[in-house]
Amino acid sequence: MKKVEHSDSIYQQIRERATSMNRKHQQELGTSILIHDIAMELHCSDELVLESLEFAA
């Protein structure tokens, strides 16, 4: 699969939403949210969520 270039702001937005969703999920259920569930909620691919999280590292 070919890697698509995304702007830093898209990565930042996804990272912020993913972090927020994970925090809420942990508070409610005591476990981390799945990457796939984040992608489904944000209407993007699992790969884009992972790239966004890696971009922060």
Side-chain angles (χ1 to χ4, degrees):
M1 185 185 315
K2 185 177 176 183
K3 186 173 181 177
V4 178
E5 294 297 323
H6 296 285
S7 72
D8 295 353
S9 64
I10 291 173
Y11 285 140
Q12 182 179 0
Q13 289 175 15
I14 291 173
R15 187 173 55 251
E16 288 171 358
R17 292 281 313 274
T19 301
S20 174
M21 290 172 65
N22 188 52
R23 199 173 297 125
K24 181 179 178 186
H25 194 271
Q26 285 179 331
Q27 290 173 345
E28 293 175 355
L29 301 175
T31 61
S32 293
I33 193 169
L34 299 173
I35 296 294
H36 183 72
D37 292 343
I38 294 170
M40 294 293 292
E41 179 72 24
L42 300 179
H43 304 285
C44 66
S45 67
D46 295 6
E47 290 82 9
L48 183 55
V49 174
L50 289 170
E51 285 177 17
S52 298
L53 297 173
E54 289 174 358
F55 184 75

